[in-house]
Amino acid sequence: KKADHSISSIRVSSDKLDNLINWVSELVTIQAQLTLYAKENSYEGLNPIAEEIEKISRRLRDDVFSIRLIPIANMVTRFQRLVRELSNDLGKEVDFITKGTETELDKNIIEMLVDPVMHIIRNSLDHGIETQEERLKKGKSPKGAITMNAYYSGTFVYIQIIDNGKGLDSEAIRKKAIEKELIIPETELTENEIYDLVFTSGFSTAKTVTNLSGRGVGMDVVKQKIAELRGDVEISSKLGVGTTVTIK
């Protein structure tokens, strides 16, 4: 039997891919104009050609966009290193668990997501996960856990950062927001609306400023960066149980 010497994959510079996508986008635009022209003008034989070009353009567009998709697993190594180094610095024991890392996203989106996700994980480690002593007092396992879970739902990709730490204190967040005059004492807010205050510029409930948190920079930037990707981010939490940050 002859050995199979065929090359199954090749490396292509992302600039070439970007150019290819631009040309395919141009082609799709021209094809739409051709389809419209064929409908408005009854030249014999033009409609079948326009339909065939539309079919090929659609397939070409789908294939080209799928070429740029890479699994979320490409980000994970950086997060594992961050959790390892940070938990050592903070004297906390933390497991980093990943699920659904085969979920694929556009290469550029993955690159733009690294910093916001890093910040969320940093927050979970610093604010969320308690020290071993605190966890034992609460009857929890001395080792904390941060889970990164990615999945598709409909046309959206979701990435969740879930910690089993102390959870958010909605009352403390509310007090801080009143103190910073973000809301007035009479404002009635749902629990989710209170958690949303965490994304306000300059908002921080940290008592002391560390290298990691309490500088008033952070979750507002996370929300802004994800908004630039036409995405959304929301927080759900249970005091004493943990916090989940979901990027959509």
Side-chain angles (χ1 to χ4, degrees), residues 48-59:
I49 295 169
E51 280 168 19
E52 202 56 38
I53 289 176
E54 185 178 356
K55 200 189 295 173
I56 292 166
S57 300
R58 198 182 301 126
R59 281 183 186 164

Side-chain angles (χ1 to χ4, degrees), residues 59-183:
R59 281 183 186 164
L60 186 58
R61 184 197 60 199
D62 292 347
D63 281 354
V64 166
F65 278 110
S66 73
I67 287 171
R68 285 172 55 107
L69 296 178
I70 58 172
I72 282 170
N74 280 270
M75 298 195 275
V76 169
T77 324
R78 281 179 267 192
F79 303 147
Q80 284 167 332
R81 195 181 313 123
L82 173 76
V83 171
R84 199 167 51 243
E85 289 171 3
L86 212 48
S87 50
N88 280 340
D89 292 349
L90 295 165
K92 296 176 179 179
E93 268 202 75
V94 184
D95 275 332
F96 183 59
I97 303 149
T98 56
K99 294 176 182 175
T101 52
E102 69 286 350
T103 306
E104 291 183 321
L105 266 175
D106 185 280
K107 179 184 129 332
N108 289 358
I109 292 178
I110 281 192
E111 281 169 7
M112 288 176 76
L113 273 174
V114 169
D115 282 349
V117 173
M118 282 263 206
H119 197 93
I120 294 165
I121 292 174
R122 214 176 268 135
N123 254 3
S124 294
L125 264 160
D126 194 24
H127 292 308
I129 303 290
E130 312 93 331
T131 60
Q132 289 177 49
E133 297 76 33
E134 281 178 86
R135 291 181 69 83
L136 285 167
K137 272 183 205 164
K138 292 177 182 176
K140 288 181 164 184
S141 150
K143 203 176 213 184
I146 293 174
T147 304
M148 178 179 160
N149 181 30
Y151 60 93
Y152 298 104
S153 180
T155 54
F156 292 102
V157 170
Y158 290 82
I159 298 169
Q160 293 181 314
I161 307 299
I162 306 155
D163 72 60
N164 65 354
K166 64 179 75 155
L168 291 176
D169 185 340
S170 53
E171 203 43 54
I173 294 170
R174 189 187 168 86
K175 277 180 187 162
K176 194 76 177 177
I178 292 168
E179 192 186 302
K180 288 187 172 283
E181 298 180 347
L182 298 172
I183 57 169

Side-chain angles (χ1 to χ4, degrees), residues 174 177-178 182-190 193-194 197:
R174 189 187 168 86
I178 292 168
L182 298 172
I183 57 169
I184 55 168
E186 295 76 34
T187 312
E188 283 190 27
L189 296 172
T190 65
E193 286 169 338
I194 289 173
L197 292 168

Side-chain angles (χ1 to χ4, degrees), residues 233-248:
V233 59
E234 60 179 44
I235 298 176
S236 62
S237 186
K238 196 169 181 191
L239 196 57
V241 179
T243 301
T244 299
V245 180
T246 305
I247 297 169
K248 174 183 170 187

Side-chain angles (χ1 to χ4, degrees), residues 187-242:
T187 312
E188 283 190 27
L189 296 172
T190 65
E191 194 131 289
N192 280 359
E193 286 169 338
I194 289 173
Y195 297 148
D196 267 350
L197 292 168
V198 171
F199 296 115
T200 315
S201 179
F203 187 90
S204 174
T205 54
K207 303 277 188 295
T208 55
V209 173
T210 68
N211 288 334
L212 301 166
S213 61
R215 299 189 182 276
V217 177
M219 292 306 268
D220 58 322
V221 177
V222 167
K223 194 170 181 83
Q224 183 192 323
K225 285 205 168 186
I226 288 161
E228 283 168 17
L229 293 168
R230 294 200 298 279
D232 199 12
V233 59
E234 60 179 44
I235 298 176
S236 62
S237 186
K238 196 169 181 191
L239 196 57
V241 179

